[in-house]
Amino acid sequence: MADSCTLRRSFMTLILEESPVLEEIVVKGYEKVLKVTDKKSGLKAIICIHNTSLGPALGGTRIYPYATFDAALNDAMRLAKGMTYKSALAQTGLGGGKSVIIASPAKKTKELLYAFGQAVNLLEGQYICAEDVGCTPEDLKIIREATPYVVGLVHDKSSGNPAPYTAWGTYRGILSVLQKVYGSSSVFDRTVAIQGLGSVGSRLAELLFWEGAKLVLSDIDQEKTANLAKMYGAKAVSPQEILKVECDVLAPCALGGILSADTIPALRCKAVAGCANNQLLSDSDGDALLKRGILYAPDFIINAGGLINVTEELAETGYSPTIARAKTHKLYDELMKIYQMADNNKISTHAAALSLADYRIKYGLGKRNSRVQISHAR
Ligand code: NAD
C-alpha cells in the first residue's frame, strides 16, 4: 500500500532510564513510532503503532538487514498501516502496528531478542507482536521471556501456524472473484496461476487441485516448482513468465509491489486474488487494474485468515480453531461486499476497501469492548 504520510524527523527523545532506549519519532498520521536501541545486545529496531482506534495494535516482527534506517522505517510504517486496514476489515477489534529489527536473521542473538521483548513490554500492551519474515516461533519464545504481549507462540493455548488459515481465506477469495466474473464460484476447469509456492502458496495449490482447477505454478526454487507441478499435474513456468500467463485467476503468493505500471499492461488474467501483502506498488495501480477490466481482490482482505486465527488467541474463551475457521470462511462475503461497493461507486475494489476501512475506523465500528486476554499469560 502506498504511503502518503509525510515524515517529520524530529526525534523527541524520551524515555526510560533502563536499556533498551526508546526514542519517539513524530510521524504525521501515526500514533507512535519508536526507535529502539540497546547498546548491550546491539539491538536496533523500530516499533510502529499506526492506529489503535479499534483496539491495541497487533502486527508481526520482521527481522531483516535493511540497508538504511530510513528503509526500515518506511517498511515498518507501510506494514503497520496495512495492519490497521486489515484488522478493521476483518473486524478483529484490533489496531495496526508492526515492528522491524534491523539485523540479519542469521545473526540474531538471544540477548537481542530479549531486549526487543523488553521494549515491547514497556508499551504495556499497546502493541502485540507476532512472527513475520525472519522471526520464528523459537524467536518469539525468547521475546516471551521479557513480555506477555506476544501471539503465535508454540504453546498449547496458542493458535499455531497461520498459513493454513491464510491459504483457506485466499481460496475463498478465489471463489469470490470467480463468482463475480463468471457468475459461478466453481474452480473446476478454471486456470489459476500461482506465483510463490511457500507456506501459503503450496497449500493453496493443494486446495485448488482437489477442487479440479488447472494450475500454473512458479517459484524461484525450481526444484520445488517441478515437484509440485508433478504432484498436481500442473504447468511449471519461470518467475519471469508467471505474471504473463493466460489464466482465469492470477494468485500472487510471493512478494509485494508486483502489480505496477510495468506489469499490469502485460497481465492476461480475468482476476487477481492471492495472499501476498502489498501487491499494488501504489494505490493508483488499483485504478489501472479496473481500467484493464481485471477484478482485484484487495490483499488486505483476502489474506486476513492468518490474522483472524491469531486474534482468536485473544478471545476471553480462549483459542478455538473452529471459530477461526468460520470467521476466515466469511472473507468471501466481505470481498463480495467490496466488489458491490466498487461497482456502485464506479471505483476500484482497492479504493472501495480503503474507504470501508476508513469509515469503520472513523466511527469505531468493530471496536474492541473488552481487554485483550493473552492466552499464555492466564
Ligand atoms: P514463504 O516465504 O513461505 O513463501 C514465499 C515463496 O515465494 C517462497 O517459496 C519463495 O521462494 C517464493 N518467491 C519469492 N520470490 C519469488 C518470485 N519472484 N517468483 C516466484 N516465487 C517467488 O511466505 P508465505 O508465508 O507463503 O507468504 C507468502 C506471501 O503472503 C508473503 O507476501 C506474505 O507476507 C503474505 N502473507 C502470508 C501470511 C501467512 O500466514 N504466512 C499471512 C498474510 C500474508
Side-chain angles (χ1 to χ4, degrees):
M1 185 180 313
D3 201 310
S4 57
C5 284
T6 40
L7 179 67
R8 283 187 285 130
R9 279 298 280 293
S10 75
F11 282 87
M12 282 172 39
T13 305
L14 193 51
I15 269 184
L16 304 145
E17 349 50 83
E18 290 175 4
S19 70
V21 174
L22 279 65
E23 293 171 87
E24 188 157 356
I25 308 169
V26 180
V27 181
K28 196 170 166 235
Y30 285 73
E31 278 180 24
K32 192 170 277 179
V33 182
L34 297 163
K35 179 185 178 193
V36 182
T37 46
D38 176 58
K39 270 198 188 138
K40 218 164 79 193
S41 64
L43 173 71
K44 271 195 208 130
I46 296 162
I47 299 176
C48 184
I49 298 177
H50 174 249
N51 191 296
T52 58
S53 302
L54 302 180
L58 185 145
T61 300
R62 184 163 289 193
I63 305 178
Y64 189 78
Y66 294 95
T68 62
F69 180 80
D70 278 357
L73 182 60
N74 282 327
D75 208 27
M77 284 168 49
R78 192 178 55 92
L79 292 163
K81 191 173 176 182
M83 287 306 294
T84 299
Y85 285 105
K86 198 187 288 200
S87 269
L89 291 172
Q91 304 188 65
T92 58
L94 292 167
K98 201 86 183 180
S99 53
V100 298
I101 296 178
I102 306 169
S104 160
K107 292 193 182 149
K108 63 196 169 192
T109 61
K110 188 171 190 285
E111 290 69 30
L112 182 132
L113 294 166
Y114 186 84
F116 175 75
Q118 286 180 307
V120 170
N121 203 45
L122 289 169
L123 297 172
E124 297 179 336
Q126 289 174 70
Y127 168 67
I128 301 164
C129 67
E131 74 176 278
D132 198 84
V133 175
C135 180
T136 64
E138 288 68 38
D139 299 336
L140 291 182
K141 213 167 141 187
I142 300 167
I143 294 169
R144 169 67 183 99
E145 287 174 24
T147 182
Y149 301 112
V150 188
V151 288
L153 291 166
V154 179
H155 188 284
D156 59 2
K157 289 180 182 168
S158 188
S159 59
N161 185 354
Y165 290 82
T166 307
W168 182 248
T170 306
Y171 174 73
R172 295 282 297 159
I174 288 174
L175 302 195
S176 78
V177 293
L178 290 172
Q179 179 64 38
K180 174 74 178 140
V181 172
Y182 296 112
S184 160
S185 63
S186 171
V187 299
F188 185 80
D189 244 11
R190 296 286 179 207
T191 303
V192 182
I194 306 180
Q195 179 193 43
L197 302 166
S199 309
V200 182
S202 59
R203 286 182 168 87
L204 178 65
E206 183 176 3
L207 292 168
L208 289 164
F209 169 75
W210 289 109
E211 290 298 328
K214 293 181 197 156
L215 296 174
V216 183
L217 304 177
S218 182
D219 196 286
I220 46 173
D221 181 337
Q222 287 180 7
E223 198 182 327
K224 195 194 303 184
T225 311
N227 286 341
L228 288 176
K230 191 171 168 217
M231 202 187 296
Y232 300 136
K235 184 175 175 192
V237 300
S238 71
Q240 290 71 36
E241 286 174 280
I242 188 73
L243 296 180
K244 299 175 196 156
V245 162
E246 185 163 4
C247 58
D248 296 297
V249 182
L250 171 70
C253 297
L255 310 169
I258 55 121
L259 300 170
S260 67
D262 288 339
T263 59
I264 291 171
L267 296 179
R268 289 198 295 154
C269 57
K270 296 277 187 296
V272 176
C275 72
N277 276 316
N278 300 315
Q279 289 168 37
L280 304 178
L281 190 62
S282 74
D283 286 342
S284 62
D285 293 315
D287 302 326
L289 287 169
L290 175 65
K291 277 198 192 108
R292 282 231 37 218
I294 296 171
L295 178 64
Y296 172 62
D299 49 11
F300 53 89
I301 304 179
I302 189 173
N303 73 12
L307 171 67
I308 290 169
N309 188 47
V310 100
T311 302
E312 282 310 303
E313 273 187 43
L314 306 174
E316 270 178 71
T317 45
Y319 174 67
S320 157
T322 52
I323 294 176
R325 179 186 59 189
K327 289 186 177 173
T328 303
H329 205 70
K330 283 195 178 150
L331 290 173
Y332 175 96
D333 305 302
E334 194 69 18
L335 286 163
M336 292 304 283
K337 199 181 332 175
I338 293 295
Y339 308 150
Q340 194 58 54
M341 267 183 73
D343 278 356
N344 293 347
N345 295 291
K346 297 188 173 38
I347 54 175
S348 72
T349 52
H350 178 67
L354 288 179
S355 66
L356 180 60
D358 282 335
Y359 184 83
R360 287 192 181 155
I361 294 161
K362 184 170 176 190
Y363 294 105
L365 303 179
K367 186 176 162 70
R368 178 170 291 270
N369 48 24
S370 58
R371 277 180 66 83
V372 294
Q373 304 279 337
I374 303 283
S375 58
H376 50 78
R378 282 181 228 165

